[in-house]
Amino acid sequence: MALVALLLSFFSPSFPGASQEHSPDILKLLAPHPRLKEHVESLATEGTSHNLPKLSQETLERPHCSGQETAAAGGHRGSPVNLVPVQGDRQQHGPEDQDGAEEAGATASARAASSKTGKCQGKKRKRCQIEPQDPEVPRKASKADPPTAPGAKPALSVPLASFDASDLECSLCMRLFYEPVTTPCGHTFCLKCLERCLDHNAKCPLCKDGLSQCLASRKYSKNVIMEELIAKFLPEELKERRRLYEEEMEELSNLNKNVPIFVCTMAYPTVPCPLHIFEPCYRLMIRRCIETGTRQFGMCLGDPVKSPFPINRFAEYGCILEIRNVQFFADGRSVVDSIGKRRFKVLHQGQRDGYNTADIEYIEDQKVQGEDCAELMGLHNCVYEQASSWFHSLKSSLKNRILNHFGPMPEKDADPQINPNGPAWCWWTLAVLPLESRAQLPFLAMRSLKDRLNGIRRVLAFISRNQN
């Protein structure tokens, strides 16, 4: 046994895995000694069996090798496994038959190794394709698609979790987009927010790009895609946003509480009052009056001296104006054609978004009957003739200016008390008389037609004396 071990160590190569290639040479040398030959064969077989795991590992590490290369490698490594029957044939036949038997054994060994390697590769492919699943590991169940109605359009495959109301907020009001519009520079805002910004500056609020074309045409590009996204994926938020907008419009439509007040000049019922709007706060006020549908606002004279309120902004009495037409200019200014409707008394003053507001109550003339009514009729006819004579006595140039601005003098009413605010010609006469605003304000606050007619008669008499 020591001799066998010595021979194996002598003929073993310096690198591992190559001893199997030299095993046939050792067997040739030991052919005359059958017992030694059997020991060598048994040792070679044991050594090969120990190397089988290594062979499988190397085969797994080379999954892309061709079938011929695998078969060749298996032939070299697997040949010692079939050496025992081959050597038995060599003992029965001669030297010539031994060579043929040896070749036949090598061929058979190569075929066996090749089939074994193929099985290993087949197991490997099967293992790669079918991965074992652990039943204890929870897996996400696939959600079944909802049934689709026949002829329906395919819905957008966008998960609801990817949409958040904060992602679709206006950068100006920090609320969900409502009536979104997109500027030529590509930014999207609420329509009302963009209009308010353009009241102050005709530039984009974000990139400061010029938006004069939008201001001149008053036309904006509506973002239909944004509206559809909000309506589809954020219906509850849109419903709440619409509710807030409607509540705001309802509050702005109230003509008794928080009525918008234009602090400028005197205005009278039935008398035209053209206005030049250029301040941002009044641009917003006029636009809101149009949007709400009321088309009305209050006009008060700035009178901080006589105002009884701690915060003296405007006079205690004023007149409601109704917008008949608005002409916008390219730079944002506008000319408003309005006419007086009703008188009011200010109960409480306030402010909203830069312009003045007030809680008001409407005032009317007190009606009289009997002898007082007959006396009122005589006074009414007398003052009307006096006012008409004064107007026709004016120079043509001055008369034409009055006609262009206020229109012709209204006709005399058959019943002076038919209008709650009194005859229209009285207010027209007060508007054209050369009086200061503070002198005109008491006439607006009067609730007695008789007192108003007497006041107009005194003013006309005073002017006539000065002309003569």
Side-chain angles (χ1 to χ4, degrees):
M1 294 299 295
L3 179 59
V4 174
L6 179 62
L7 288 173
L8 288 176
S9 62
F10 178 78
F11 287 99
S12 61
S14 58
F15 54 92
S19 60
Q20 300 174 5
E21 300 177 359
H22 298 273
S23 297
D25 298 334
I26 300 174
L27 295 176
K28 287 181 181 181
L29 294 176
L30 297 179
H33 307 278
R35 296 182 61 183
L36 293 177
K37 181 179 177 182
E38 292 177 359
H39 288 295
V40 171
E41 287 177 352
S42 62
L43 291 176
T45 303
E46 293 176 0
T48 306
S49 63
H50 291 301
N51 293 332
L52 285 178
K54 185 176 181 181
L55 175 63
S56 301
Q57 182 178 359
E58 291 179 357
T59 306
L60 292 175
E61 293 176 356
R62 296 186 299 172
H64 302 288
C65 60
S66 62
Q68 296 178 358
E69 294 175 355
T70 306
H76 287 293
R77 297 184 180 182
S79 57
V81 179
N82 300 322
L83 286 178
V84 176
V86 173
Q87 295 301 329
D89 294 337
R90 286 181 181 179
Q91 292 177 1
Q92 298 176 3
H93 301 282
E96 296 178 359
D97 296 337
Q98 290 179 359
D99 295 336
E102 182 179 359
E103 293 178 0
T107 304
S109 302
R111 291 178 180 176
S114 176
S115 63
K116 188 173 182 179
T117 305
K119 292 180 180 179
C120 293
Q121 290 185 351
K123 291 181 180 180
K124 178 187 176 184
R125 295 192 192 98
K126 186 175 181 181
R127 183 177 181 183
C128 294
Q129 293 175 358
I130 304 175
E131 296 181 357
Q133 298 181 355
D134 191 356
E136 297 180 358
V137 178
R139 293 182 177 272
K140 184 177 180 180
S142 59
K143 185 178 180 180
D145 296 334
T148 305
K153 296 182 179 180
L156 296 176
S157 58
V158 180
L160 293 176
S162 63
F163 274 87
D164 188 7
S166 61
D167 298 331
L168 301 177
E169 287 183 351
C170 175
S171 58
L172 299 177
C173 65
M174 303 305 294
R175 295 190 293 183
L176 186 68
F177 282 118
Y178 191 77
E179 297 180 353
V181 294
T182 301
T183 60
C185 55
H187 296 110
T188 303
F189 309 96
C190 300
L191 174 60
K192 303 300 182 291
C193 297
L194 180 60
E195 287 179 337
R196 290 191 62 178
C197 288
L198 295 182
D199 289 339
H200 297 268
N201 193 1
K203 293 182 180 180
C204 175
L206 294 181
C207 65
K208 305 304 179 183
D209 193 11
L211 299 179
S212 300
Q213 65 275 21
C214 297
L215 193 61
S217 62
R218 299 284 168 171
K219 295 180 180 179
Y220 304 92
S221 300
K222 186 177 180 181
N223 197 325
V224 181
I225 298 179
M226 184 68 70
E227 279 191 337
E228 292 180 353
L229 286 176
I230 295 175
K232 183 175 180 61
F233 297 103
L234 300 173
E236 296 299 327
E237 291 80 356
L238 179 60
K239 184 178 179 180
E240 178 66 17
R241 182 71 173 87
R242 185 180 291 112
R243 185 187 64 82
L244 293 176
Y245 174 77
E246 292 174 355
E247 288 181 357
E248 183 179 358
M249 289 295 104
E250 184 179 357
E251 182 180 356
L252 294 173
S253 303
N254 194 336
L255 292 179
N256 293 93
K257 194 172 183 179
N258 292 326
V259 179
I261 301 297
F262 197 132
V263 181
C264 183
T265 184
M266 284 295 302
Y268 302 99
T270 70
V271 178
C273 183
L275 299 171
H276 177 212
I277 308 299
F278 57 90
E279 296 184 46
C281 59
Y282 291 128
R283 292 185 192 180
L284 173 63
M285 187 192 75
I286 296 298
R287 188 168 57 251
R288 283 179 172 174
C289 292
I290 297 174
E291 291 172 356
T292 56
T294 61
R295 303 180 71 89
Q296 294 184 7
F297 60 94
M299 174 65 74
C300 285
L301 181 68
D303 193 2
V305 176
K306 293 184 179 181
S307 177
F309 299 99
I311 304 176
N312 299 321
R313 297 192 184 98
F314 45 87
E316 187 179 0
Y317 291 89
C319 180
I320 291 291
L321 295 179
E322 183 179 20
I323 300 173
R324 297 189 293 186
N325 187 29
V326 180
Q327 180 182 0
F328 293 99
F329 297 102
D331 57 355
R333 296 179 299 111
S334 61
V335 172
V336 177
D337 178 19
S338 62
I339 188 171
K341 300 297 291 183
R342 294 182 291 177
R343 295 172 294 158
F344 63 84
K345 179 182 179 181
V346 176
L347 301 178
H348 177 72
Q349 298 185 9
Q351 267 196 337
R352 184 189 187 102
D353 297 330
Y355 59 84
N356 294 285
T357 60
D359 297 342
I360 63 175
E361 68 173 0
Y362 296 99
I363 58 176
E364 297 178 353
D365 287 345
Q366 298 174 356
K367 294 184 178 182
V368 295
Q369 297 178 353
E371 296 180 358
D372 294 335
C373 181
E375 182 182 356
L376 182 62
M377 283 293 297
L379 180 62
H380 171 262
N381 295 332
C382 178
V383 177
Y384 179 82
E385 296 297 334
Q386 186 180 1
S388 177
S389 299
W390 170 79
F391 175 70
H392 289 93
S393 66
L394 296 176
K395 294 181 180 180
S396 299
S397 58
L398 181 58
K399 190 186 302 183
N400 291 333
R401 290 175 57 187
I402 293 175
L403 292 174
N404 291 333
H405 188 81
F406 296 101
M409 183 177 180
E411 296 292 333
K412 181 176 60 174
D413 296 331
D415 183 5
Q417 299 185 94
I418 193 172
N419 194 323
N421 292 301
W425 67 266
C426 290
W427 301 115
W428 184 90
T429 303
L430 285 171
V432 301
L433 284 175
L435 294 176
E436 293 184 358
S437 298
R438 291 185 180 181
Q440 293 175 335
L441 185 61
F443 288 95
L444 193 66
M446 291 179 180
R447 302 190 183 190
S448 172
L449 177 58
K450 180 180 179 180
D451 294 342
R452 189 180 308 117
L453 291 173
N454 287 326
I456 293 175
R457 185 174 63 175
R458 287 193 297 267
V459 173
L460 290 174
F462 178 79
I463 293 176
S464 297
R465 286 196 303 267
N466 289 339
Q467 286 180 351
N468 296 329

